[in-house]
Amino acid sequence: MRILVTGGAGFIGSAVVGELLAGGHEVRVLDALLPAVHPSGLPSAVPAGAEFRHADVRDAAAVEAALDGVSAVCHQAAMVGLGVDLDDAPAYAGCNDLGTAVLLAAMARRGVRQLVLAGSMVVYGEGAYRCGAHGPVAPGPRRAADLDAGRFEPPCPVCGEPLLPGLVTEDAPADPRNVYAATKLAQEHLASAWARACGGRVLTLRYHNVYGPGMPRDTPYAGVAALFRSALARGEAPRVFEDGGQRRDFVHVADVAAANAAALAALPGRPAGSTRAYNVGSGEVRTVGDLAAALAAACDGPAPVVTGEYRLGDVRHVTADSGRLRAELGWRPRVPFETGTAEFAAAPQRT
């Protein structure tokens, strides 16, 4: 099968391309090589054997040409991270939502009806919480006054007592809490509308915190794993925001690539006009402080520094229930946290 991978020169995209090539597929990559991720302007991460086309997913003519002979699309192209400030909002909406709309329109014209969409845990906002007295509840917006005072745990919105965090499922209501999250949710809605309108099939993979070799360094748009690794490469201590107790699910990029391959294999059997979302997580609940400490130890670097700083658009706890992906697509994570962080600590970062 010939597959178009948008964003296939990026961190996750290039891993997906490698996985698909290893599975015997023909792969065409379309990537804009955005400077925030590719400062060299070169597609250096694209695996040998893939066809590369340098174009923006918002370029309708280039996208339509890239769809020639393609059976399915794996849409990884996106501007990622929380951004620096609200001035980034037009760029996020343009790259993520306009780009997705252009791609879907071209797929409709060219008769390509199979799509794997790179989604994100950020659509949930905060994860799942339970109050001992009031059961499952959704915490309210984080308040700067609480965070300034070091009160990082969200209280029950009814009684104010501490909440117990749990695993979030795909059926949880969406609650995007920053611009990036809003654009990722919009991508899902656009894909769903496309599927209904033209009889397409969509599987959305909601990635949790992806890490591993090939992450870009020294960019404010990178994930926390890349920021910690970049600091250690400079001989600096990782700076951990809040108190380091934020719960996350860190999933290795190789496991994410395998999830994409499993989703592509499952697409032909899905009903026309259907969509389905899957969490992609390791199943291991860790804290941000755990990650910083593991990387510092593996790099033999300085111990992390807990700063108490925060970003209002961050969430406190969000961890994955990936049972649906395991049960329906037969996927299993293969890389344990200890193995993955040791590998990541030793691997060069993309410059």
Side-chain angles (χ1 to χ4, degrees), residues 110-187:
R110 296 302 299 264
V112 181
R113 297 292 185 264
Q114 299 184 90
L115 174 67
V116 172
L117 175 65
S120 175
M121 66 174 188
V122 295
V123 301
Y124 299 120
E126 291 282 355
Y129 291 88
R130 173 176 291 275
C131 172
H134 299 97
V137 295
R142 304 183 90 187
R143 300 189 308 167
D146 289 335
L147 301 174
D148 287 337
R151 295 189 293 270
F152 301 120
E153 294 292 342
C156 174
V158 180
C159 66
E161 290 299 309
L163 297 175
L164 296 175
L167 303 181
V168 66
T169 68
E170 294 87 350
D171 296 327
D175 184 20
R177 297 196 172 199
N178 53 64
V179 169
Y180 170 60
T183 66
K184 294 304 290 182
L185 182 58
Q187 283 185 313

Side-chain angles (χ1 to χ4, degrees), residues 12-135:
I12 297 175
S14 60
V16 172
V17 171
E19 180 79 12
L20 296 178
L21 289 170
H25 297 288
E26 295 180 51
V27 182
R28 180 177 294 149
V29 170
L30 183 77
D31 201 298
L33 300 179
L34 296 177
V37 182
H38 304 276
S40 70
L42 299 173
S44 54
V46 176
E51 176 191 348
F52 176 73
R53 298 193 182 188
H54 182 195
D56 196 302
V57 75
R58 291 167 288 187
D59 182 338
V63 170
E64 190 145 352
L67 288 167
D68 185 44
V70 164
S71 300
V73 174
C74 191
H75 184 32
Q76 307 291 322
M79 187 173 176
V80 300
L82 298 186
V84 178
D85 53 41
L86 282 174
D87 286 339
D88 285 329
Y92 274 102
C95 288
N96 298 354
D97 298 337
L98 176 58
T100 298
V102 170
L103 172 66
L104 294 171
M107 290 175 67
R109 289 191 297 271
R110 296 302 299 264
V112 181
R113 297 292 185 264
Q114 299 184 90
L115 174 67
V116 172
L117 175 65
S120 175
M121 66 174 188
V122 295
V123 301
Y124 299 120
E126 291 282 355
Y129 291 88
R130 173 176 291 275
C131 172
H134 299 97

Side-chain angles (χ1 to χ4, degrees), residues 92-292:
Y92 274 102
C95 288
N96 298 354
D97 298 337
L98 176 58
T100 298
V102 170
L103 172 66
L104 294 171
M107 290 175 67
R109 289 191 297 271
R110 296 302 299 264
V112 181
R113 297 292 185 264
Q114 299 184 90
L115 174 67
V116 172
L117 175 65
S120 175
M121 66 174 188
V122 295
V123 301
Y124 299 120
E126 291 282 355
Y129 291 88
R130 173 176 291 275
C131 172
H134 299 97
V137 295
R142 304 183 90 187
R143 300 189 308 167
D146 289 335
L147 301 174
D148 287 337
R151 295 189 293 270
F152 301 120
E153 294 292 342
C156 174
V158 180
C159 66
E161 290 299 309
L163 297 175
L164 296 175
L167 303 181
V168 66
T169 68
E170 294 87 350
D171 296 327
D175 184 20
R177 297 196 172 199
N178 53 64
V179 169
Y180 170 60
T183 66
K184 294 304 290 182
L185 182 58
Q187 283 185 313
E188 292 195 27
H189 289 320
L190 287 166
S192 178
W194 167 82
R196 289 188 177 92
C198 70
R201 299 171 173 87
V202 182
L203 295 180
T204 298
L205 301 178
R206 292 175 179 163
Y207 303 154
H208 283 249
N209 288 77
V210 187
Y211 75 98
M215 294 191 86
R217 64 178 298 174
D218 297 327
T219 166
Y221 299 95
V224 66
L227 296 177
F228 291 163
R229 179 70 178 82
S230 295
L232 289 161
R234 297 190 299 269
E236 301 172 3
R239 295 177 60 82
V240 179
F241 279 19
E242 300 183 22
D243 60 0
Q246 307 95 302
R247 291 161 56 106
R248 297 290 187 269
D249 186 323
F250 297 103
V251 58
H252 194 275
V253 67
D255 287 330
V256 171
N260 276 270
L264 283 161
L267 271 173
R270 300 292 303 168
S274 67
T275 63
R276 187 77 163 156
Y278 295 93
N279 285 332
V280 183
S282 69
E284 297 183 63
V285 176
R286 303 282 178 168
T287 68
V288 172
D290 290 339
L291 177 66

